[in-house]
Amino acid sequence: MRYEFADCVLDTESYQLQRLGTDVPVQPQVFELLCLLAENAGKLVTKDALLERVWNGRIVSDATISARINAARTAVGDNGKTQAVIRTVQRRGLELVAPVSTNAAIQMPFANTTAKRMQTIHFAQSEDGTSIAYARSGAGPAVVRAGHFLTHLEKDWSSPVWGPYLQELSSRYSLVRYDQRGTGLSDATLKGTGIENYVADLRAVVDAAGLETFPLIAASQGVPISIAFAATYPERVSRLVLYGGFVQGRARRDHQYASEEANALMALIRSGWGKPDSPFMVAFTSVFCPGASKDEMNNMVEIQLASTSAENAAAIRTAFDQFDVSSFLPRVRVPTLIIHANADAVHPVAQGRLLASGITGAEFLQVESNNHVYLPSDPAWRQIVDAQLDFLEREDSSA
């Protein structure tokens, strides 16, 4: 829907605001506030309605609400004194008082919105010469998503598992993400698998993308890499969002994890890789996402097979099992949100709590799920994504 009021044009489909013909970047919550007011133009919007729409019913402080209202007024050329566009009704709510016209058929004179939603793929070179593929999508403040085990930039983008999440981020931010070395579109040759190699890959990507300071999102094996990066380059990371991660790899945290067991797992990977119907591939995927639908499960297998070879998968798993970032935790000094599923079978929730206790001031959110991969079909998916977006929104408001 297209709303015109004052000298502004608000388009809910392209998620854009223009004033005097110029794009006006706004925070996601500010945009939702404007949409709510435009949809109810000339009508009172209560505080309860505001909380339900903008904050999904969560209780927030009056100062936070006021900050979003002030930002909305600034975006549309209004202020708290004149209130020519947005009027405050004391102790009752808000009202969009400027005349509003709507037109759903005519497209706004913005840049092509299809192109905006597409991703572009580029390459960076790490310290040891490894080529790292990274993708950019969306528009707005930059957010970086660290690589993790078995990604594929192209297949993830259209995946029923990862696609909805990537689209959520790209609809609000300029998202940068990459395939780890040995996987996806990155160099298939594994020249090194130490944590310092993966940290160097992340740095190569953000340098190539021209990013100085940015919030960093990571899941699973991307978590220890991101922690090591944030501790090593504290000036580069403004905020951390960590899901399903760990401090110590399985070989470091599980004293019963003997070399024989590790070797057996690697042998299974080598023998079952590339065979979608093999018991190993089904079991392997079931551990990561036991609640997956049939389509989601099939897509996970497809991405695994496209991402890397059996030899690389085994080598990468062996390397991750040896990670231990305990010494990095005290050096992480940025706002951090840690989310972990209570019944995660890949990395137990105890590892999430260990992360939260080791990073000063970290917030911890435990969700009800047995999936290591957060799936759109999982009831916890919306909670996980909203928590991330809300935490990133604080980054925007503090900028």
Side-chain angles (χ1 to χ4, degrees):
M1 180 68 71
R2 179 181 187 239
Y3 298 93
E4 295 184 7
F5 54 90
D7 50 12
C8 300
V9 181
L10 182 75
D11 190 293
T12 60
E13 292 185 5
S14 63
Y15 210 86
Q16 290 180 287
L17 171 69
Q18 274 192 346
R19 181 167 174 257
L20 296 172
T22 301
D23 291 352
V24 180
V26 292
Q27 303 157 7
Q29 289 177 340
V30 173
F31 191 88
E32 287 300 326
L33 189 155
L34 290 171
C35 288
L36 178 62
L37 292 175
E39 291 165 7
N40 296 276
K43 301 178 183 177
L44 180 72
V45 174
T46 66
K47 179 181 177 181
D48 287 343
L50 199 64
L51 290 172
E52 182 62 34
R53 172 68 171 268
V54 180
W55 285 277
N56 296 309
R58 296 190 294 274
I59 302 300
V60 297
S61 67
D62 289 340
T64 297
I65 297 173
S66 295
R68 300 300 182 268
I69 294 171
N70 290 337
R73 282 198 171 109
T74 299
V76 298
D78 197 10
N79 59 64
K81 184 177 181 179
T82 60
Q83 297 192 17
V85 181
I86 301 173
R87 180 171 71 97
T88 297
V89 182
Q90 293 297 329
R91 294 185 296 277
R92 295 189 64 195
L94 299 173
E95 180 185 356
L96 184 62
V97 293
V100 176
S101 62
T102 63
N103 193 325
I106 301 175
Q107 294 298 313
M108 294 181 69
F110 292 135
N112 186 287
T113 56
T114 300
K116 179 188 172 186
R117 294 191 180 108
M118 296 295 288
Q119 65 172 353
T120 57
I121 295 175
H122 314 267
F123 291 87
Q125 190 172 67
S126 195
E127 287 181 354
D128 61 1
T130 297
S131 179
I132 304 297
Y134 70 96
R136 305 194 72 150
S137 56
V143 169
V144 177
R145 185 170 186 266
H148 56 80
F149 190 45
L150 304 185
T151 63
H152 191 288
L153 293 176
E154 288 183 337
K155 288 190 174 294
D156 288 354
W157 184 247
S158 58
S159 161
V161 174
W162 293 115
Y165 173 63
L166 299 178
Q167 293 289 343
E168 286 265 357
L169 289 177
S170 299
S171 70
R172 294 163 171 81
Y173 297 97
S174 176
L175 174 64
V176 175
R177 70 190 210 283
Y178 62 95
D179 287 331
Q180 285 184 343
R181 55 176 53 210
T183 70
L185 300 179
S186 292
D187 197 333
T189 303
L190 286 172
K191 297 177 181 177
T193 55
I195 195 166
E196 68 279 0
N197 299 115
Y198 290 98
V199 169
D201 296 347
L202 174 51
R203 179 172 180 176
V205 167
V206 295
D207 285 350
L211 305 180
E212 293 295 331
T213 305
F214 47 85
L216 181 58
I217 302 174
S220 195
Q221 298 84 5
V223 168
I225 295 164
S226 297
I227 289 170
F229 182 91
T232 306
Y233 305 105
E235 74 284 358
R236 305 293 297 270
V237 181
S238 59
R239 194 163 284 250
L240 275 174
V241 177
L242 310 175
Y243 174 85
F246 61 94
V247 178
Q248 302 156 318
R250 189 173 178 186
R252 297 300 183 97
R253 69 176 181 248
D254 187 352
H255 299 300
Q256 303 301 316
Y257 189 54
S259 59
E260 290 83 1
E261 183 179 352
N263 292 336
L265 177 59
M266 296 307 109
L268 282 171
I269 290 177
R270 293 187 181 98
S271 65
W273 209 257
K275 302 173 183 176
D277 297 326
S278 72
F280 164 73
M281 288 300 291
V282 174
F284 184 82
T285 308
S286 296
V287 170
F288 278 78
C289 42
S293 66
K294 188 174 186 296
D295 286 344
E296 289 171 334
M297 187 72 75
N298 290 340
N299 183 249
M300 286 290 292
V301 172
E302 178 186 348
I303 291 174
Q304 287 174 9
L305 300 181
S307 177
T308 196
S309 65
E311 289 300 320
N312 275 4
I316 293 168
R317 289 297 309 176
T318 299
F320 289 158
D321 283 347
Q322 297 295 330
F323 282 1
D324 188 336
V325 292
S326 302
S327 63
F328 289 106
L329 296 183
R331 294 160 51 191
V332 176
R333 296 290 184 176
V334 298
T336 302
L337 171 65
I338 295 161
I339 307 174
H340 215 104
N342 66 320
D344 189 334
V346 178
H347 300 301
V349 69
Q351 284 292 309
R353 291 195 292 266
L354 188 61
L355 281 168
S357 63
I359 298 176
T360 302
E363 299 180 26
F364 180 71
L365 173 63
Q366 179 174 301
V367 297
E368 296 290 324
S369 177
N370 60 354
N371 294 308
H372 178 65
V373 175
Y374 41 110
L375 303 165
S377 62
D378 190 327
W381 187 87
R382 189 71 259 171
Q383 180 187 7
I384 294 167
V385 175
D386 283 347
Q388 295 185 27
L389 295 175
D390 182 65
F391 191 73
L392 292 173
E393 178 73 16
R394 295 183 228 167
E395 162 70 15
D396 290 344
S397 62
S398 65

